[in-house]
Amino acid sequence: MGAHCCASGATFEGLSADYKRRLQAVIAINAGMFLVEMGAGALAGSRALQADALDFLGDALTYGISLAVIGAAMHVRAWAALAKGVSLTLMGLWVFGSTAYHVLILGVPKAEIMGIVGFLALAANVASVLLLVRYKDGDANVRSVWLCSRNDAVGNVAVMAAALGVWGTATKWPDLIVAAIMAGLFLWSSAQILRQSMQELRGARSAHAVAPRA
């Protein structure tokens, strides 16, 4: 999570009407794709699609939090980012557990549905990434938005690879492997978000401690 610096050296905190409009558009994209992909995942019997759908839902919710705390005090924004990091950790652990459980269940996912929906989700995620790429650096709150969007795009490429693997092997293993990889990506990103948010919380406490009292 790098820090975006403007000419004055200040870290970008999301205080931009353009950034807010882009974030609102990305929230709408993610909420819509959650509904599409969760239904398609159930229809196809795909763990990877359902894992990716949960990522869409998590992003829509956390982006809403990000939008709500723009302009708030540093410690409020850092706590919001910390909450998002924890939610990503829980999501990653859930996907790992779900993947391990479904290894024991018979049935091969429908590769055709995985491929079609994976392509639609990839298009949605590429649109989100393009909307946010100019704001990819900043405080923990801003940076977490970028990381989630990037994860979505990477995840959908992986889902399409899983669909190809399922089609080529006629087994569920490519789908399960991709779901596990995506869970690992969630955990890796959550670690980055948690680390930066903790640093910003410590910085906020230090600033408060040295602030002159009336």
Side-chain angles (χ1 to χ4, degrees):
M1 296 183 183
H4 171 79
C5 295
C6 62
S8 64
T11 300
F12 178 63
E13 299 176 356
L15 293 171
S16 162
D18 178 64
Y19 177 70
K20 291 178 182 179
R21 285 193 297 269
R22 290 168 185 255
L23 189 52
Q24 288 167 349
V26 170
I27 290 170
I29 290 171
N30 278 267
M33 281 309 303
F34 161 70
L35 297 175
V36 170
E37 212 169 24
M38 183 59 77
L43 182 63
S46 169
R47 300 307 113 197
L49 276 181
Q50 290 181 332
D52 200 49
L54 285 175
D55 189 32
F56 273 118
L57 175 62
D59 286 351
L61 295 175
T62 56
Y63 293 170
I65 295 173
S66 295
L67 187 62
V69 300
I70 287 175
M74 179 186 289
H75 72 278
V76 174
R77 289 181 278 114
W79 275 113
L82 188 66
K84 287 184 283 184
V86 171
S87 70
L88 267 179
T89 300
L90 294 175
M91 187 182 302
L93 293 174
W94 184 90
V95 173
F96 266 132
S98 177
T99 299
Y101 173 75
H102 284 96
V103 166
L104 304 176
I105 297 178
L106 298 177
V108 177
K110 295 180 174 64
E112 297 83 358
I113 296 177
M114 288 178 64
I116 293 170
V117 177
F119 179 80
L120 292 175
L122 177 60
N125 284 323
V126 169
S128 297
V129 167
L130 292 176
L131 283 168
L132 295 171
V133 65
R134 66 181 296 183
Y135 299 107
K136 65 185 181 67
D137 297 315
D139 64 12
N141 189 48
V142 171
R143 183 62 174 167
S144 64
V145 169
W146 165 253
L147 282 175
C148 290
S149 297
R150 185 206 61 187
N151 285 357
D152 279 345
V154 172
N156 283 120
V157 171
V159 167
M160 295 181 71
L164 183 61
V166 169
W167 178 79
T169 65
T171 70
K172 60 189 174 184
W173 289 104
D175 178 65
L176 297 173
I177 291 169
V178 165
I181 291 172
M182 289 170 61
L185 180 62
F186 297 160
L187 294 176
W188 179 70
S189 295
S190 71
Q192 295 184 66
I193 295 169
L194 291 170
R195 183 170 60 250
Q196 185 175 356
S197 60
M198 290 301 294
Q199 290 172 347
E200 292 181 0
L201 280 172
R202 286 194 293 269
R205 291 195 193 99
S206 297
H208 178 73
V210 300
R213 290 181 171 81

